[in-house]
Amino acid sequence: GTGKTKVLTTRLTHIIKTGAATPSQILAVTFTNKAAAEMAERIEDILGHSTDGMWLGTFHSLCARILRKHAELVALGSDYIIISIDDQKKLISQIYADAGIDDKEYPVRDMISKISKWKDDGKYPEDLDEDERKEVVGQAGNIFKTYQQRLQELNACDFGDLLLHVMKIFRDNNEILRIYQDQFKYIMVDEYQDTNGTQYLWLRLLALLRKNICVVGDDDQSIYAFRGAIVGNILRFDTDFPGAKVVRLEQNYRCSGNILRAAGAVIKNNTERHDKELWTADSGGALIDLRPMNDEYNEARAVAAQIKQHRNTGGAWAQCCVLVRTMMQTRPIEEAFNKNDIPYQVVGGQKFYERKEIRDAVAYLRLVALASDDLAFERIINVPKRGIGDTTVKLIRQRGRAQKLPMFEACRVGIREGIFSARVGGLIQEFINVVDSWKAVAEEWAPSELLERILEESGYVKMLRADVNKEEAKTRLDNLKDLLRATDEHETIGDFLEHVALITEGAEENINNVKVMTVHAAKGLEFDTVFMPGLEEGLFPHKRSIDEGFAAVEEERRLMYVAITRAKRRLIMSYAATRRSFGQAVENCEPSRFLAELPDDVLKIVRIAQSSAKDNWVKSRKDKYKNYSEVDMDKAISQQEGAKIAQNGMDDMKALGYEIGKRAFHKKFGYGRINGFEGADQDRKVIITFEKHGKKKLLAIMANLEIR
C-alpha cells in the first residue's frame, strides 16, 4: 500500500515524455497479465496514446515473444504451442505407462512439480545431479528427458520452457543477447521479490551491458517460495548492482494506524529483511478484533453474522473478504454464507479457461492451427463420441511414433495401409475430412466465425443440447458463447491461442459479493474489512513450514504480514479450540505464535459466546518467553515444547537408530534415507533425502521418524 506500482508507471511515462527512450527501448516486466493490463492502461491514460511497441508484459509473455523469433535455435518451429497443465498430465501419464510406473505411488502432479522446479532452477535433463536423476525409483532423469523429447516432437513447450529456452538462446548466441541488451535502454520490474532463479538470471543478462535496471518490491511480501521465488534476489540487489540507489517507500496509503502497527510488529521478528518503518496519516483507527471460538463452525457463523451486520449498516458485500491459509478451511464458511443468503465467490475456484467445454473448444482450434498437436488430437478425436475408442487411439499413437508422424497424419497413412476395420476407418476419414475443411478456411475466416462452425459441425453443440442435465448443459453453452465473444478480440487463431495459453486470470468476476480466498491469492488486493479465521499453530503457520524449519516459518510470517495489510479499516482475527482436519477433530488447538507478536494496545478480545478457546494463551505465551528476544521466539517455543522428548534422549541420534545411510519413513514425506545431521541439542536436525520430496532438514525433536 505504499504506491510501488505507481512509482514504476510514473517513471516509465516520464522516460517516454522526456524522450529519454522510445516505447520499444523499454522493457517492463510484471508477474500477471492483469497487472500488465492495468499498467498499460495507466500509462496510456497519462500519455494519451497507445503503448503499442512497448515490451510490457509478464516474464512468460515476453519470453514467448523472443522465442517466436529464435525458436529454431532450440529445435522448435516458430508456430510452437504452449501446453496446459492438463496436457502435461497426459504426457507424463503416457510416459509412466510406458515405463511401468505406478501413479498412486508416485503421483503425476508431483513429477510435474519436480520438472517445473528444475526448470525454475535453469536445468535441462542433462543438468540434473545424481540424486535428482535417481528420484522416482531411479527414473526421474529418464522421465524428464522423455518428456522434453515428446514436447519437441509436438513442437511444444510448457511454461517453464519459455524462460529456459530463451536463457539457452542467450547463453549460446552472444550476438542475439547483444541485440536485446542494445535495444533495452531501460529495464523495469514490478514485484521483484517474487523472481525465481531463472528470471533473476534472465534480467541480469539483459542488464549486464547498460546496468540500467529499476525494480520495485517488498521483501516482506515474498510469499511464493513454493513456486521457486527467492527472497535473496531483492535482499542482495545492491550487491548484484554496485552503486544502486535504494529508495524506501515507507508511507502507507491503505491501512489504518493500528492495522499497520500490528503488521509491523509481526514482521520485525524476521531476520532476513530490509529494515523499514511504515507510517500512515491515519494514525489510529479501529482496534483489531481477536475472537476465541469453540470450533470452525462456531467461527464461520460469527464471520457470517459480522458480514450481515456490515451489510445492514450500509456496507457493501464486496467490501468484505475472508482470508484463509488453505482452501480446506472454506467449507464451513461457505455453509454459513449459504444459510445466511450471503453472496460470495471462492476466488481460485475453477477458472473460465480450465472448464471442460472451453478446453475442448480450444483443442479443436489447436488442431486446426497445427496438425502435429497430438495432445489436442487425443482430447477431441472422440468428443463428441464418434465410435473411435481408446484401443484405436492407442494404435494411432503407436503407429505415429513408429513412423515419426503426428497422430493426425498417422490416421491418413493408416487408412491407406488398411490397418483399421472398415467401420472405424470410415469414422476416422469423416473426422479427417471435417478438420481439413476447417483448415482450408482458417486463414480467411475470423476466429469467432471459424469456432462457431467447428462447434456446430463437430456435433459439440448438438451433444450439449441433448444432455439430460439441462441446467449444466445450458451453463456450458453459455460459456461457449462467452468464448466466441473472447475470440472476437483477436485477428488470428494463433493470436487467440497464445492469449489463452498465457492468461492467468479467470474470465469472470462478480464484483458484488464477498470474496473468500487464500492469502496467496489476495496478494496485491485490498478490502475495507478483512476476516482471518484459523489462526492456530499447525494451520497458520502451517505444520509443513514448522517441520521445515526457520526459513519456512519466516515465509509464513511474511504471509501473515501480507494478510494483515490487505485490510484498510477493520480486521477481525479468530482461532478455534477444536478444528477438523481430513475428517478428524484436532482438540486443544494452540493459537498461532504470530498472535503473541501483536502489540496488546491494538487488540480487542471479543468473546462471541461460551468458548473453550484459550484466550489467555496469547498473554501467557508472551510472558513465558519474555526473556527471549522476539527473533528467538520460534527457537524458544521449539525448546519448550520439545524439552520432555529431548530429556528422554531424542538428541541422542544413535539411541533412536538415526544413523547415516539408514532408511526412514515420515508420515508426510514418505520413505527416504538419512544423509547426515546438523546443529546440537534441541536444535539438532536430521538431513534426509526423500524419494518423492527430495532433501529435507527436520528438527529431530519433532521428526517422528520410523527407522525401517
Side-chain angles (χ1 to χ4, degrees), residues 554-603:
E554 289 218 336
E555 173 122 345
E556 291 281 324
R557 190 176 282 108
R558 290 194 290 271
L559 197 59
M560 181 75 169
Y561 174 80
V562 167
I564 293 171
T565 54
R566 298 313 93 196
K568 296 164 68 175
R569 194 176 63 86
R570 289 202 65 207
L571 179 61
I572 298 96
M573 298 174 160
S574 57
Y575 58 91
T578 302
R579 184 175 302 276
R580 297 187 76 81
S581 178
F582 297 104
Q584 300 296 317
V586 178
E587 305 281 352
N588 300 317
C589 297
E590 295 281 10
S592 168
R593 69 188 68 189
F594 301 143
L595 295 176
E597 298 169 354
L598 297 170
D600 292 334
D601 60 354
V602 304
L603 291 177

Side-chain angles (χ1 to χ4, degrees), residues 80-92 108 112 119 147 151 154 156-162 353-356 358-360 362-363 366 373 375-376 379 497-503:
Y80 68 83
I81 59 170
I82 304 168
I83 67 170
S84 68
I85 187 69
D86 274 3
D87 296 329
Q88 287 182 277
K89 288 175 183 175
K90 183 169 284 189
L91 272 181
I92 297 295
V108 165
I112 292 172
K119 290 183 178 182
Y147 173 74
L151 286 177
L154 290 165
C157 58
D158 60 26
F159 273 90
D161 286 325
L162 293 174
Y353 284 99
E354 293 171 353
R355 293 170 182 169
K356 182 183 183 303
I358 303 302
R359 287 198 181 280
D360 289 343
V362 169
R366 281 171 48 179
D373 191 342
L375 295 169
R379 184 177 185 98
L497 291 175
E498 183 157 312
H499 166 76
V500 172
L502 293 171
I503 199 163

Side-chain angles (χ1 to χ4, degrees), residues 380-444:
I380 51 87
I381 180 64
N382 202 36
V383 178
K385 291 191 181 301
R386 299 183 174 88
I388 303 170
D390 290 344
T391 302
T392 301
V393 173
K394 185 177 180 180
L395 175 61
I396 296 168
R397 187 189 310 127
Q398 290 171 343
R399 296 281 296 187
R401 286 187 192 163
Q403 297 174 333
K404 294 186 169 21
L405 290 173
M407 292 176 72
F408 188 76
E409 290 304 313
C411 286
R412 293 189 203 273
V413 174
I415 289 170
R416 286 200 301 268
E417 294 177 352
I419 68 168
F420 307 113
S421 68
R423 184 188 69 83
V424 171
L427 294 170
I428 293 173
Q429 187 62 59
E430 285 179 18
F431 179 73
I432 291 172
N433 291 344
V434 73
V435 173
D436 282 344
S437 73
W438 300 331
K439 284 178 176 291
V441 298
E443 291 185 7
E444 300 167 12

Side-chain angles (χ1 to χ4, degrees), residues 328-535:
M328 285 169 46
Q329 294 171 250
T330 66
R331 191 171 67 84
I333 294 167
E334 291 187 66
E335 286 180 10
F337 284 2
N338 286 325
K339 286 177 182 175
N340 286 275
D341 296 320
I342 295 173
Y344 70 93
Q345 177 189 2
V346 179
V347 178
Q350 192 176 38
K351 294 184 172 65
F352 182 79
Y353 284 99
E354 293 171 353
R355 293 170 182 169
K356 182 183 183 303
E357 63 275 17
I358 303 302
R359 287 198 181 280
D360 289 343
V362 169
Y364 271 106
L365 285 176
R366 281 171 48 179
L367 187 63
V368 170
L370 194 67
S372 62
D373 191 342
D374 286 357
L375 295 169
F377 175 91
E378 285 201 50
R379 184 177 185 98
I380 51 87
I381 180 64
N382 202 36
V383 178
K385 291 191 181 301
R386 299 183 174 88
I388 303 170
D390 290 344
T391 302
T392 301
V393 173
K394 185 177 180 180
L395 175 61
I396 296 168
R397 187 189 310 127
Q398 290 171 343
R399 296 281 296 187
R401 286 187 192 163
Q403 297 174 333
K404 294 186 169 21
L405 290 173
M407 292 176 72
F408 188 76
E409 290 304 313
C411 286
R412 293 189 203 273
V413 174
I415 289 170
R416 286 200 301 268
E417 294 177 352
I419 68 168
F420 307 113
S421 68
R423 184 188 69 83
V424 171
L427 294 170
I428 293 173
Q429 187 62 59
E430 285 179 18
F431 179 73
I432 291 172
N433 291 344
V434 73
V435 173
D436 282 344
S437 73
W438 300 331
K439 284 178 176 291
V441 298
E443 291 185 7
E444 300 167 12
W445 287 32
S448 59
E449 294 173 335
L450 177 63
L451 180 57
E452 189 172 11
R453 175 176 167 178
I454 289 171
L455 292 172
E456 287 290 348
E457 294 183 356
S458 66
Y460 203 96
V461 170
K462 183 180 178 182
M463 174 189 74
L464 290 180
R465 286 175 180 153
D467 196 323
V468 292
N469 190 335
K470 298 297 182 186
E471 279 302 313
E472 183 178 342
K474 183 180 182 303
T475 300
R476 291 187 172 189
L477 284 166
D478 287 342
N479 290 337
L480 289 172
K481 288 175 185 175
D482 287 341
L483 183 66
L484 286 169
R485 283 192 284 272
T487 57
D488 261 340
E489 300 172 11
H490 300 271
E491 293 183 6
T492 68
I493 298 176
D495 289 344
F496 174 68
L497 291 175
E498 183 157 312
H499 166 76
V500 172
L502 293 171
I503 199 163
T504 59
E505 298 293 331
E508 307 172 316
E509 185 176 347
N510 180 356
I511 61 172
N512 190 27
N513 55 25
V514 177
K515 299 295 186 289
V516 181
M517 65 182 82
T518 65
V519 184
H520 284 103
K523 178 100 180 307
L525 304 178
E526 58 183 43
F527 299 90
D528 176 86
T529 302
V530 170
F531 294 84
M532 292 177 60
L535 296 179

Side-chain angles (χ1 to χ4, degrees), residues 2 42 74 108 120 134 140 156 179 190 211-212 316 339 350 372 390 424 514 567 627 658 689-690:
T2 59
R42 289 191 202 180
V74 285
V108 165
D120 284 347
K134 287 183 177 177
I179 290 170
D190 200 10
K211 297 183 173 59
N212 196 347
K339 286 177 182 175
Q350 192 176 38
S372 62
D390 290 344
V424 171
V514 177
N627 293 326
Y658 289 7
T689 299
F690 291 99

Side-chain angles (χ1 to χ4, degrees), residues 249-309:
L249 305 176
E250 296 182 316
Q251 182 175 4
N252 179 284
Y253 300 94
R254 176 189 298 154
C255 308
S256 71
N258 284 331
I259 290 171
L260 200 60
R261 283 185 58 221
V266 169
I267 200 61
K268 76 177 183 181
N269 292 282
N270 272 7
T271 56
E272 295 295 317
R273 63 185 295 263
H274 287 300
D275 283 335
K276 293 176 286 293
E277 288 293 335
L278 297 190
W279 61 277
T280 177
D282 179 8
S283 58
L287 293 176
I288 297 168
D289 286 2
L290 179 59
R291 304 177 177 215
M293 311 302 295
N294 274 330
D295 57 34
E296 68 266 42
Y297 296 99
N298 181 224
E299 182 180 55
R301 286 191 293 271
V303 170
Q306 277 295 112
I307 290 176
K308 290 212 76 168
Q309 183 182 358

